[in-house]
Amino acid sequence: MGKVKCECGRLNPAGTILCESCGRALTEKAKQDKLVDMRYEGSARRSQTYNKTLIDKVWNFFSSVKVGIWIIVLLLVAASFGTILPQEFYLPSNVSAETYYEDVYGTFGKLYYMIGFHDLYNSVWFSALVAALGVSLVIASLDRVVPLYRALKNQRVDRHETFMKKQRFFAEREGKLEPAEWEKIKEALIKKRYKVRTENGALLAEKNRFTRWGPYVNHVGLIIFLLGALLRSVPGMYVDELLWIREGETLQVPGTNGEYYVKNNGFTLQNYKAGEDPEVFNEAIDRVGTVAKNYQTDAVLYRNKNNEMPGAEPELTRVQEDSIQVNQPMKFGQFAVYQTSFRQDEMKAMHFALTNKETGEEFGEVVIDLFDQQAAYDLGGGYKVELLGYYPDFDGFTKEGEPTSKSPLPNNPAFLFNMITPETPDGEVSFAQIRNTMEPLGETTFKMAFKSLDTRDVSALTIRKDLTLPILAAGGIIFMIGVIQGSYWNHRRLWIREKNGQVYAAGHTNKNWHGLKREIRSVLEGTSVPEPEDRQKE
């Protein structure tokens, strides 16, 4: 599109409303408006000029403030869906997310998993929304900041009277100004830290132009912050994993690609005691019974020498030993391991004895590891126990008589046994729980009698690595600089023009008009220049 030539001789980009040099109105609408729109100094914005090619249409779409607001709304709504059910991050390490959501939350949980809400904040479509917001910020900023910069840089001192007459603050009178008045006005403006320029009987005083870039500095900060957020999905940049580790277990540290392992040597819980610890805790102890004073995991960190050898068995070498407490993590490399939570007295193993119901004689003890069961347990002498079914969280029987489990966690374990003895070579079926034995297929000679229960404590450790933190911090700092830059200063300008026996005075600011009015009054006091009136009230 061709450029628009103003009467002053300047060639302006197509779509310009006010001449970038003298300020004349270039469009019919601008000529008819009582006051000019000075948000972008009347400069041409690309989104309001070109709309032919696909690039133009994409640019125009993302340059719209409404589109940016809608993307933010969609992000907020999408993020709220991730709070309906626990994210995969919070699930115990020994359960599969694919089965957990359906087992615990039923059909809704299965649908929640299938849609991908279980790991929402790492999903492709959520990252795409964040990227779209970043694109919107970049395009919207460029669409406005480039013409604004060009217009402010090219503004002339001697502005056309139509430009001045369309300012919100304006006044005029007949006559001339004495040289002493010019000097007095200039000195007063310089004292108030205005940058003063004069040309051909015209004066332009301007200060705090930098504040106009505040919103765009905000955008730069947000773009950097969003970039940091997107980088969190890049492997190796961000790790925030929850590891449930039982006493005695040695597990791979998530996020280290098998290079590091950690062992739980033991868990310790200390509670405040009434009468021994500070009195401030007595009321809480009386109210809730126990108040944790300290809980920690005594951990050993190992490094796998065979990490870079695919398929090789881990060869662990001890790196360090530490006690992980709340707010006192174990650190190694770029990682930190925090004590997050714990579970006490988790069921570990159950002891059953194959017992003759009539005589009470026991023919061997079966120890069932709740996390590693065997298919059969040979007790010798022709006595054998087969495990037909394991139900970690027994929830009753179906109408067909089938046992069910409502979750994969061993909260209420139950077992279906087949007992083979010399007296019953074909086997007898027994259903056993803690202190409860049933005979679902009829009267039996033997039973599996519950003997004892082994428990252990479980620590919840959070493994963190965040290489995006400096980027997020830089984005936040830049954003706050933009907020301060745009909030605590305002761009003020005063034009005074003497031509053809007329004196014109006009003023503009991007905010705080009352403050500009007071400042102009003090500058023009004692001169014949009329004080501009606020024509917004008319």
Side-chain angles (χ1 to χ4, degrees):
M1 297 178 68
K3 292 190 176 183
V4 180
K5 186 174 183 179
C6 179
E7 294 178 21
C8 70
R10 179 170 183 80
L11 289 175
N12 296 279
T16 304
I17 299 172
L18 301 177
C19 175
E20 293 178 342
S21 180
C22 70
R24 279 186 176 90
L26 299 179
T27 65
E28 289 301 320
K29 183 179 183 306
K31 292 176 181 178
Q32 296 174 7
D33 287 343
K34 183 177 180 180
L35 301 177
V36 294
D37 184 357
M38 296 288 286
R39 283 179 300 173
Y40 311 109
E41 305 295 310
S43 296
R45 289 167 49 198
R46 190 186 192 284
S47 61
Q48 298 176 341
T49 306
Y50 304 96
N51 192 26
K52 291 184 177 180
T53 67
L54 177 62
I55 295 177
D56 294 336
K57 295 182 184 299
V58 172
W59 181 280
N60 297 346
F61 176 79
F62 282 107
S63 68
S64 170
V65 174
K66 291 182 179 179
V67 170
I69 292 174
W70 272 111
I71 293 175
I72 293 174
V73 171
L74 289 175
L75 272 171
L76 293 174
V77 173
S80 67
F81 285 120
T83 65
I84 297 175
L85 296 181
Q87 290 289 288
E88 184 178 16
F89 165 81
Y90 294 104
L91 302 187
S93 58
N94 65 319
V95 300
S96 169
E98 185 175 1
T99 58
Y100 177 86
Y101 285 96
E102 183 176 7
D103 292 342
V104 177
Y105 302 105
T107 304
F108 177 75
K110 181 179 181 180
L111 183 63
Y112 194 85
Y113 176 82
M114 292 175 59
I115 296 175
F117 287 168
H118 68 291
D119 192 21
L120 186 142
Y121 307 111
N122 293 319
S123 63
V124 174
W125 64 270
F126 189 83
S127 297
L129 275 178
V130 174
L133 180 59
V135 171
S136 177
L137 286 171
V138 171
I139 292 179
S141 298
L142 291 175
D143 190 60
R144 291 160 175 80
V145 74
V146 172
L148 176 62
Y149 171 78
R150 187 174 61 241
L152 289 176
K153 181 181 178 182
N154 296 327
Q155 60 181 336
R156 263 180 21 190
V157 176
D158 186 10
R159 289 294 185 113
H160 194 264
E161 56 264 26
T162 58
F163 171 81
M164 300 182 71
K165 287 179 179 180
K166 289 180 179 291
Q167 296 299 318
R168 176 171 166 176
F169 279 5
F170 175 74
E172 64 178 320
R173 75 164 178 83
E174 293 182 357
K176 293 185 177 182
L177 292 178
E178 298 296 329
E181 291 184 299
W182 281 109
E183 290 301 320
K184 183 176 181 179
I185 292 172
K186 287 172 62 176
E187 289 177 4
L189 288 167
I190 292 172
K191 285 182 180 180
K192 293 184 177 296
R193 299 182 180 179
Y194 278 85
K195 181 180 179 181
V196 181
R197 296 162 56 197
T198 58
E199 178 185 299
N200 300 328
L203 176 146
L204 167 61
E206 181 181 20
K207 74 174 180 180
N208 300 336
R209 183 191 292 185
F210 71 91
T211 191
R212 295 291 290 274
W213 317 124
Y216 307 105
V217 174
N218 288 347
H219 288 183
V220 171
L222 283 174
I223 291 166
I224 294 174
F225 193 90
L226 291 175
L227 177 63
L230 287 174
L231 286 175
R232 289 191 164 201
S233 60
V234 176
M237 290 294 293
Y238 178 75
V239 175
D240 191 353
E241 299 282 352
L242 186 65
L243 177 67
W244 287 94
I245 182 168
R246 296 165 177 85
E247 288 180 312
E249 274 189 329
T250 301
L251 298 178
Q252 184 183 132
V253 178
T256 63
N257 298 319
E259 182 178 1
Y260 290 96
Y261 285 73
V262 64
K263 180 180 180 181
N264 182 352
N265 267 349
F267 176 79
T268 303
L269 173 64
Q270 295 175 307
N271 293 320
Y272 285 103
K273 297 181 180 180
E276 297 182 12
D277 291 302
E279 293 183 3
V280 69
F281 296 101
N282 290 345
E283 183 179 346
I285 294 172
D286 292 339
R287 185 173 64 253
V288 299
T290 58
V291 177
K293 183 177 183 180
N294 173 50
Y295 52 94
Q296 69 180 46
T297 300
D298 297 325
V300 181
L301 181 70
Y302 296 95
R303 188 178 183 277
N304 179 17
K305 287 185 175 181
N306 295 335
N307 177 53
E308 297 181 357
M309 300 173 61
E313 289 293 323
E315 183 180 346
L316 304 182
T317 58
R318 179 173 167 174
V319 176
Q320 69 183 81
E321 185 173 351
D322 203 352
S323 294
I324 306 172
Q325 299 177 337
V326 178
N327 298 325
Q328 295 183 21
M330 177 175 67
K331 296 182 178 180
F332 61 96
Q334 297 170 327
F335 291 86
V337 182
Y338 292 85
Q339 178 74 55
T340 304
S341 184
F342 63 90
R343 286 201 305 261
Q344 283 191 295
D345 300 327
E346 181 190 71
M347 299 182 189
K348 178 182 182 293
M350 295 180 68
H351 297 247
F352 293 92
L354 179 60
T355 308
N356 187 299
K357 291 168 56 177
E358 183 177 348
T359 64
E361 183 181 359
E362 297 180 359
F363 297 92
E365 186 173 294
V366 174
V367 181
I368 302 178
D369 189 328
L370 300 180
F371 298 90
D372 185 20
Q373 306 86 37
Q374 299 179 27
Y377 298 84
D378 192 349
L379 304 179
Y383 295 92
K384 182 180 179 181
V385 176
E386 297 176 340
L387 184 61
L388 302 180
Y390 169 47
Y391 312 94
D393 198 359
F394 178 63
D395 192 36
F397 296 91
T398 64
K399 292 181 179 179
E400 293 75 21
E402 290 291 331
T404 61
S405 177
K406 61 182 179 182
S407 79
L409 300 177
N411 298 322
N412 183 28
F415 307 88
L416 192 64
F417 296 108
N418 184 33
M419 304 172 291
I420 300 173
T421 67
E423 293 85 347
T424 56
D426 294 331
E428 296 178 317
V429 175
S430 175
F431 185 83
Q433 294 175 268
I434 298 177
R435 303 187 183 280
N436 182 29
T437 301
M438 292 182 283
E439 299 167 346
L441 300 183
E443 188 72 20
T444 62
T445 304
F446 293 85
K447 70 175 183 177
M448 295 299 295
F450 173 76
K451 300 291 290 183
S452 62
L453 175 68
D454 296 339
T455 63
R456 60 183 172 182
D457 296 333
V458 187
S459 292
L461 303 178
T462 297
I463 291 83
R464 285 186 182 151
K465 170 188 174 183
D466 195 352
L467 300 183
T468 68
L469 196 57
I471 301 174
L472 297 174
I477 291 171
I478 293 173
F479 178 84
M480 289 307 301
I481 290 173
V483 170
I484 295 170
Q485 181 179 341
S487 300
Y488 291 94
W489 291 274
N490 40 82
H491 182 211
R492 294 179 177 181
R493 281 174 289 178
L494 173 64
W495 295 274
I496 299 176
R497 185 173 187 262
E498 179 189 334
K499 194 169 186 178
N500 300 328
Q502 289 287 119
V503 177
Y504 302 97
H508 180 268
T509 182
N510 60 327
K511 59 178 178 290
N512 191 9
W513 291 86
H514 184 68
L516 175 62
K517 186 177 181 66
R518 291 200 318 268
E519 203 164 59
I520 292 177
R521 182 185 298 122
S522 65
V523 167
L524 300 181
E525 188 176 2
T527 70
S528 61
V529 178
E531 181 184 335
E533 297 292 331
D534 187 352
R535 300 192 298 160
Q536 185 72 38
K537 300 176 182 178
E538 299 178 11

